[in-house]
Structure formats: C-alpha cells, structure tokens
C-alpha cells in the first residue's frame, strides 16, 4: 500500500524521484552544509537593488536557487559563475521588465517570487508576481506582504493568476507593524524600504539569523538599517545601492535535519559548516532527547548518547525559539524515545500531516488538530496550532511512502533509514529542492539505497 503524506503529492516524473531504501543501518560520516536555502535565495533577489554587480558565495545547488536564477535572467539580469566554486555573480545593468508567460514559466514551486515586488518596483516602476508555490504546510497567505507594499505607496491589483503592482509616484517610507513576526513579510519590508524615500519603522519583525544575514547583505550594498530592541527595525531609504560580496550563512535547517538523522539511526554525523550560535535552541533540545554533540571551529559532531532516547515537550516558535522547520525530523527521532513526547506546532496550521505515514511504519503518534493546552506552555497559544503526541519507543518497519513537503519528506527518509526492512520513497524531487547533493550525502553516510525511478 502506498502511503501519501499530508499533501496530495504530484506524480513522479523525473529520474531520481523514487528511492528504494534498506533501513536499519546507522548513518556515520561527514556532510558539508553550504549556504542557507532561506538566505541565499533572498540575497539573490536583493542583487536587483544594486547599481553594480553582486557576488554571492556558498550558494547551495538546489532547485529554489535555480528558480530565482531563472526569474532574475528573464528580467535581464546576467548570472554567471563567480571566482570560486559555489559563487554566483549578478549583473543588473541590462535589467528589464518580463512578460507574464516568462515569469510564470519560471516561478515554479517557490514562494520567493513574492519578494521581487519591492526591487522590481524600484527598478522598473511595475511588477507582476504569479501565484506562489512552496510547501503545502498551511494556507501560506501573503496579506502581510500586500498590506506592507500598499503602505509604501504601491498600487496592488489581484489578477486571476497573480498580482500586478505599480508605483506611479515611487515608494515612500512607511510605519508597519506585522500582526505576526513573519519571515517573508519582514524580508518584503527590508527589500522595499532600503530604496524608499524616507524612513521606515518596522515593528514585530522576524529576527531569524537568515533575516540578520539579509540585513548584512543590504548594509554591504549601502543601506542604512538599524536593528533595535523588541523586534523593531528602522530603515532609512537611500537613493542608490551598489552590489555586494557576501558569503551566505550556513543552512541550520539542513544541519538540524542531519543531526536528527544521527539520533534516529543511532549514527554519528559531522556536519561541516554548522555553527553553535544559530543552533543554540536546537542543541538544547538535542541534548535533552539524549543526543550529544561536539562543537569545533569547522562544524559540529552529532550522535546518540542515551539508549533509548528520552521524551521531551517542544513548542515551535519564531526565533530564538525552536524552529518549525526542525520539528519534522525531530519527531522521527522521538518515535524511538522511551515515553511520551509532545510537539506543539504553533507556526503553521498543517505541518503535522506527515506523521500519518509514520504511523503506518509503526510509530505511535496522535495529532490533536486544535492543539493541546497545558500549564507548562511558554509559547503564546495560536488559533491555528496543532499538537503531536508521540509515544515510544516503537520499532519502525519499511513502507511505500510519497513525500508531501520538503522537511516532511526528509523526515520520511530518516524514518526509512531507521526502519527495519525496505521502503520505497516517491516524490523525492521535493527534498532535492531544498537539500543540496542529497543523494551524495546519503551515500557518504553509508545509507543503503537505490534510485529506482
Ligand atoms: C519562511 O517561510 C521559510 N521559507 C520557511 O521555511 C519557515 O518555516 C518560515 O519562514 C518560518 O520560519 C523561506 O524562507 C523560503 P512566515 P515564510 O511568513 O516566510 C503566516 C522550509 O522548509 N503569514 O514566517 O512563508 C503564515 O501563514 C520553509 O525551508 C500570514 O498569515 O513564513 C504562518 O502561519 C517551510 N500572512 C506564519 O505567518 C502573511 O502574509 C509564519 O509564516 C505571511 C505569513
């Protein structure tokens, strides 16, 4: 029986989309984690704001980067290899408008196109953004983005297959308070405010490390951005920005995923490039579950120390809380913990659907669609939250699985690697969208698998 994850998966159409995984072997070895998917793509968009070429280093070779590269190229930006492996140069000298067909053909399954609004309005005075893709882990509305753009003076018209924007009188500074510290909406404001006329005050901003790295990129370009206490960011608009030369911070979500793989398979993985500071909250939970880690200047060793693992209560939250992107791989490890663990997903309304297929592999996971109360809660309760109650340890057995989304898909691969027996995992292309050289890394860690479709 083929198990479908939380979202209806598209049919597999390219080689490298179906894996046959033989589980029960620990993953041991080293993986190199390069630039963060959720920074590199945004820094690429920021290059549109520069009057001179920009260079981005440690760019991960992932689908989301290819999508943004294509979108930049259809807008006349020349993208070329830089002076070191993994670097790209963006030259906006010939930047121009693109027609809908070109944009739509390249927007793909990404959410990044929405961040082109501000830069294109500054550059061309108008923009068209096709309806967005991205992981189906909730409605993923963009109301915060559109409200902010209107606040800057943009005219925003919803069309049947996207959004048309114009700024006949240019864009001016704004006073914006986000209803929730949205990462994307914060990036939208930053990428628009830096060239707007006047000062922008952003309150209740997201402050994830990727956001701070994007602020670093913009500051290198000549922007004036002050990061104040209590999630307040002031941006003084400037008339001109030049290109940047920037090395993306490492992908802490990928690093956390490999750490959970070490826990779940009782292996030992060195994640080269991982740094403690951006992973503090994750490392605390990792230790409480029974993992141990050694931090070096080059990266972090992750391994299981306790047998069996220990149960925990985790609430996902905005930074510096426990990232929502970390909970899916962690839940697989918690199926091997002795006792009852609870994961409260407070950021997205449908990010626990992936647990259904884990149940078919032998896990004991109950999802509470309206979440769970409890005196111990520290994160403010949100209407849309849900909770997963994981009782372990439960041996996992192989199954046929279809990947539903990026992090859920990775979690399925960990489960298949930890399970006894063979699993067929389909729709793996989604995982390769966000994890660079995914198959090479599995092979380097001793995973026993074949590409069968
Ligand atoms: C970014 O998504 C990341 N994606 C996500 O990573 C990450 O999980 C998320 O931030 C939270 O950290 C990228 O950077 C490409 P949000 P984003 O806006 O910006 C609601 C991954 O696996 N909201 O912070 O889309 C929203 O529905 C991906 O790499 C509105 O209501 O996340 C959600 O409940 C998955 N209206 C909450 O805010 C809006 O206009 C947080 O979303 C925008 C958001």
């Amino acid at each position: 029986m083929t198990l479908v994850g939380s979202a209806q998966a598209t049919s597999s159409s390219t080689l490298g989309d179906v894996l046959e995984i033989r589980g029960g072997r620990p993953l041991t070895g080293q993986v190199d984690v390069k630039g963060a998917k959720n920074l590199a793509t945004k820094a690429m968009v920021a290059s549109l704001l520069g009057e001179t070429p920009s260079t981005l280093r440690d760019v991960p070779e992932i689908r989301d980067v290819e999508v943004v590269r294509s979108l930049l190229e259809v807008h006349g930006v020349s993208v070329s290899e830089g002076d070191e492996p993994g670097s790209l140069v963006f030259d906006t000298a010939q930047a121009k408008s693109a027609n809908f067909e070109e944009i739509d053909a390249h927007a793909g399954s990404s959410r990044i196109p929405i961040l082109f609004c501000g830069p294109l309005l500054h550059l061309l005075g108008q923009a068209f953004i096709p309806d967005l893709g991205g992981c189906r882990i909730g409605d993923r509305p963009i109301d915060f983005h559109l409200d902010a753009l209107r606040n800057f003076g943009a005219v925003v018209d919803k069309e049947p297959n996207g959004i048309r924007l114009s700024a006949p009188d240019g864009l001016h500074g704004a006073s914006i308070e986000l209803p929730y510290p949205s990462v994307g909406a914060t990036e939208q404001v930053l990428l628009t405010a830096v060239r707007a006329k006047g000062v922008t005050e952003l309150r209740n901003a997201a402050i994830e490390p990727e956001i701070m790295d994007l602020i670093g990129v913009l500051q290198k370009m000549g922007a004036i951005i002050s990061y104040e206490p209590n999630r307040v960011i002031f941006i003084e608009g400037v008339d001109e920005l030049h290109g940047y030369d920037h090395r993306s911070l490492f992908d802490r979500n990928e690093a956390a995923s490999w750490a959970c793989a070490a826990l779940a398979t009782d292996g030992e993985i060195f994640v080269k490039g991982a740094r403690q500071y951006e992973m503090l909250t994750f490392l605390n939970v990792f230790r409480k579950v029974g993992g141990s880690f050694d931090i070096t200047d080059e990266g972090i060793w992750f391994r299981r120390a306790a047998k069996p693992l220990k149960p925990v209560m985790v609430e996902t939250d905005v930074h510096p809380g426990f990232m929502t992107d970390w909970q899916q791989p962690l839940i697989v490890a918690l199926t091997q913990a002795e006792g009852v663990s609870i994961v409260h997903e407070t950021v997205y309304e449908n990010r626990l659907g992936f647990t259904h297929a884990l149940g078919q592999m032998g896990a004991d996971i109950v999802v509470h669609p309206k979440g769970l109360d409890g005196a111990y809660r520290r994160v403010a309760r949100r209407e849309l939250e849900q909770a997963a109650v994981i009782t372990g340890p439960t041996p996992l057995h192989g199954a046929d699985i279809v990947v539903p989304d990026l992090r859920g898909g990775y979690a399925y691969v960990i489960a298949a690697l930890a399970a006894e027996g063979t699993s067929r995992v389909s729709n793996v292309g989604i995982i390769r969208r966000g994890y660079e050289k995914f198959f090479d890394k599995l092979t380097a860690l001793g995973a026993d698998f074949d590409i069968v479709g």
Side-chain angles (χ1 to χ4, degrees), residues 329-351:
L330 176 72
I331 283 178
V332 176
L334 292 178
T335 65
Q336 305 311 306
E338 186 167 71
V340 179
S341 300
I342 302 178
V343 174
H344 299 276
E345 172 52 62
T346 73
V347 177
Y348 286 109
E349 67 272 30
N350 181 22
R351 203 166 192 179

Side-chain angles (χ1 to χ4, degrees), residues 73-103:
E73 288 171 334
V74 298
H75 284 92
V77 176
S78 85
V79 183
S80 53
E81 310 303 312
D83 57 8
E84 67 177 44
S87 65
L88 292 177
V89 179
F90 309 96
D91 186 338
T92 59
Q94 308 301 320
K96 62 176 179 56
S97 298
N99 63 47
F100 163 71
E101 289 70 24
E102 288 175 301
I103 297 169

Side-chain angles (χ1 to χ4, degrees), residues 255-278:
S257 300
W258 292 115
C260 292
L263 271 189
T265 64
D266 197 5
E268 180 165 20
I269 298 177
F270 181 65
V271 180
K272 187 165 180 290
R275 291 202 307 255
Q276 177 181 15
Y277 173 70
E278 291 85 354

Side-chain angles (χ1 to χ4, degrees), residues 116-394:
F116 277 70
C117 295
L120 289 179
L121 286 171
H122 284 307
L123 201 60
L124 309 168
Q126 50 96 24
F128 177 81
I129 309 298
D131 287 335
L132 299 178
C135 290
R136 277 165 280 187
I137 51 181
D139 289 342
R140 312 288 300 268
I142 54 170
D143 50 329
F144 302 168
H145 295 250
L146 303 185
D147 293 346
L149 288 162
R150 291 187 183 100
N151 213 328
F152 281 108
V155 176
V156 180
D157 295 312
K158 188 75 184 79
E159 295 191 352
N161 41 26
I163 301 157
R164 186 161 302 283
L165 304 101
S166 61
D169 307 322
L171 298 173
H172 52 72
S175 171
I176 297 167
E177 172 140 12
L178 294 179
Y180 182 81
S182 152
V183 167
T186 300
E187 292 160 340
Q188 183 75 249
V189 172
L190 289 169
L191 291 166
T192 304
V194 288
R195 282 279 313 282
K197 291 195 178 359
V199 177
T200 293
E201 179 182 5
L202 172 59
R203 294 182 301 283
N204 203 25
I207 54 172
E208 273 68 5
E210 293 77 15
I211 298 278
M212 308 323 288
D213 212 37
L214 179 63
I215 289 175
V217 166
L218 294 168
Q219 189 179 56
K220 284 180 177 177
M221 298 178 79
I224 301 172
I225 303 175
S226 65
Y227 168 46
E228 310 276 327
N230 307 315
R231 293 183 182 274
V232 173
I233 298 177
F234 281 103
I235 305 107
E236 294 178 39
V238 294
D239 294 334
E240 190 173 301
L241 293 172
H242 50 75
Y244 62 79
D245 188 330
H246 188 75
R247 189 173 301 279
S248 167
L249 89 166
F250 77 100
D251 194 319
R252 60 201 179 104
N253 292 341
E254 181 180 354
S257 300
W258 292 115
C260 292
L263 271 189
T265 64
D266 197 5
E268 180 165 20
I269 298 177
F270 181 65
V271 180
K272 187 165 180 290
R275 291 202 307 255
Q276 177 181 15
Y277 173 70
E278 291 85 354
M279 298 189 76
L280 281 174
T281 307
F282 174 81
L283 294 172
N284 286 335
V285 172
F286 188 81
R287 175 171 281 154
K288 285 164 67 176
V289 172
S292 80
F293 53 87
D294 297 324
I295 293 163
T296 73
D297 291 344
E298 290 71 38
I300 304 178
W301 280 102
F302 292 101
R303 69 183 75 78
R304 182 190 288 192
K307 292 183 174 43
L309 296 175
K310 293 175 261 181
V312 291
M313 188 284 281
V314 170
E315 299 166 277
T316 66
D317 198 1
V318 295
H319 188 74
F322 191 88
M323 290 293 291
T324 171
D325 300 337
W326 295 338
Q327 58 92 340
Q328 292 166 298
L330 176 72
I331 283 178
V332 176
L334 292 178
T335 65
Q336 305 311 306
E338 186 167 71
V340 179
S341 300
I342 302 178
V343 174
H344 299 276
E345 172 52 62
T346 73
V347 177
Y348 286 109
E349 67 272 30
N350 181 22
R351 203 166 192 179
L352 292 173
F354 81 104
T355 58
H356 177 73
L358 297 182
Q360 306 291 318
M361 296 176 76
D364 177 351
I365 303 175
V366 176
V367 172
H368 295 258
K370 293 291 179 203
L372 282 175
D373 278 324
Y376 47 79
R377 294 292 305 273
R378 285 188 304 114
V379 172
R381 195 131 169 59
R382 290 186 77 208
E383 189 54 39
L384 53 68
E385 70 173 65
Q386 327 104 61
V389 178
I390 306 106
T391 305
T394 54

